[in-house]
Amino acid sequence: MKKIDILGVMVDHVTMDEALERAISCIKQEGVGTVFTPNSEIIMVAYQDAEFCSILNTADLIIADGIGVVYASRILKAPLPERVAGFDLSCRLLEKAAEEGYSVYFFGGKPGVAELAVQKLEEQYPTLRVCGTQDGYFDAEKEKRIIADIQEKKPDILFVCLGAPKQEKWIAQHKDELSAGLVLGVGGSLDVWAGTVERAPLKYQKAGLEWFYRLMKQPSRFIRMLALPKFGLTVLFKGKRVKGGR
Ligand code: UDP
């Protein structure tokens, strides 16, 4: 399995179809499979936090959630085949789950958001088997109940939507207690399924400008997004180029 080193984060060299295939094979295998979906901002966090970087690298599959990660791979002369957005992979997985009967569990978002998302997803996929939901705001006591509920429901697929880096840290800490087939950290996906946050129109996605659309819609992300130019410069000056690359 080829991996590309982007500032220490080992991103899998996969297309969307290959990522889906790998995720499905994790469900079928023994043990808990994990998928992380870093974008440039998250890779910058990992670059400055070695412990978080090693947490990311424990995943069975690491996909390039943002176009910035794909550009970085080109700068490093080890081009990734395409962007594999966590939200898009999750939608493909839901489609597969509805077809094959895999059970799904949604954890994260503000109270009520997961339920709203399930309502909409069940309209779209009438055969989808949702075995549980929990919001993403908890103290230690509630966290124990959440873990016990996941253990009882044994989902084939668990979507953890707590935002990064919280969700990756939570998954790494609790992975072995979870009795799930596949666990994905997919940030704001529940908000999009629920319709509380709008995904960028396709033309923005195709032009590699989804980040710009999100910035227009949520100007409060501006500070977070300052990580993007910093990421580009760090890759240019500190990234390890693949020797003999084209
Ligand atoms: N969230 C949560 N618990 C927390 C903090 C955040 O469930 O303690 C949720 C929040 O409600 C939102 C998601 O995590 O639904 C984060 O969304 P964002 O778009 O910021 O995540 P990203 O995809 O950028 O990591």
Side-chain angles (χ1 to χ4, degrees):
M1 284 183 291
K2 191 170 161 192
K3 287 179 177 277
I4 308 299
D5 178 346
I6 313 272
L7 299 182
V9 177
M10 304 308 287
V11 179
D12 282 275
H13 185 279
V14 284
T15 61
M16 172 61 83
D17 288 343
E18 289 163 347
L20 180 67
E21 205 176 302
R22 185 94 60 83
I24 300 286
S25 75
C26 283
I27 301 174
K28 294 177 179 166
Q29 276 164 17
E30 277 291 300
V32 185
T34 50
V35 181
F36 291 152
T37 62
N39 57 16
S40 319
E41 275 169 60
I42 301 311
I43 293 185
M44 262 330 269
V45 175
Y47 182 67
Q48 285 152 345
D49 177 348
E51 195 188 335
F52 178 56
C53 187
S54 29
I55 286 178
L56 280 182
N57 286 334
T58 59
D60 295 283
L61 178 64
I62 302 184
I63 55 176
D65 182 68
I67 195 68
V69 182
V70 177
Y71 291 149
S73 71
R74 292 181 192 158
I75 291 172
L76 298 171
K77 309 264 186 252
L80 288 163
E82 60 180 333
R83 175 185 179 206
V84 183
F87 179 77
D88 295 332
L89 177 65
S90 301
C91 291
R92 295 281 303 268
L93 270 169
L94 286 173
E95 208 178 297
K96 211 61 185 167
E99 272 169 33
E100 306 284 335
Y102 297 132
S103 60
V104 297
Y105 193 115
F106 298 97
F107 169 37
K110 298 206 174 88
V113 168
E115 288 77 3
L116 192 57
V118 168
Q119 223 177 315
K120 302 232 164 130
L121 288 170
E122 283 178 341
E123 279 165 25
Q124 199 179 343
Y125 307 107
T127 55
L128 189 67
R129 279 208 298 137
V130 179
C131 62
T133 57
Q134 292 284 344
D135 69 71
Y137 295 85
F138 49 86
D139 56 17
E141 267 314 299
K142 186 170 165 187
E143 186 180 36
K144 277 191 203 149
R145 290 200 301 275
I146 293 170
I147 293 172
D149 192 50
I150 297 171
Q151 284 170 336
E152 191 196 320
K153 307 278 175 57
K154 299 188 175 39
D156 292 310
I157 309 174
L158 169 64
F159 294 97
V160 180
C161 303
L162 305 175
K166 185 170 180 177
Q167 63 202 8
E168 290 80 9
K169 290 181 178 172
W170 191 89
I171 292 170
Q173 189 184 348
H174 298 290
K175 183 184 149 184
D176 296 332
E177 309 165 61
L178 289 178
S179 30
L182 181 71
V183 184
L184 301 97
V186 279
S189 296
L190 271 170
D191 294 310
V192 181
W193 287 319
T196 53
V197 169
E198 201 188 333
R199 180 96 198 266
L202 215 56
K203 62 178 181 186
Y204 283 87
Q205 292 179 40
K206 285 194 172 149
L209 289 172
E210 189 163 8
W211 61 272
F212 179 66
Y213 185 83
R214 289 184 88 179
L215 182 59
M216 283 194 304
K217 290 280 167 180
Q218 293 171 270
S220 57
R221 298 181 79 94
F222 179 73
I223 298 293
R224 279 177 67 173
M225 282 194 172
L226 288 177
L228 295 182
K230 207 168 158 193
F231 172 73
L233 290 171
T234 312
V235 170
L236 259 179
F237 296 111
K238 305 272 172 141
K240 291 190 197 100
R241 277 177 188 71
V242 172
K243 286 199 184 95
R246 276 176 293 140

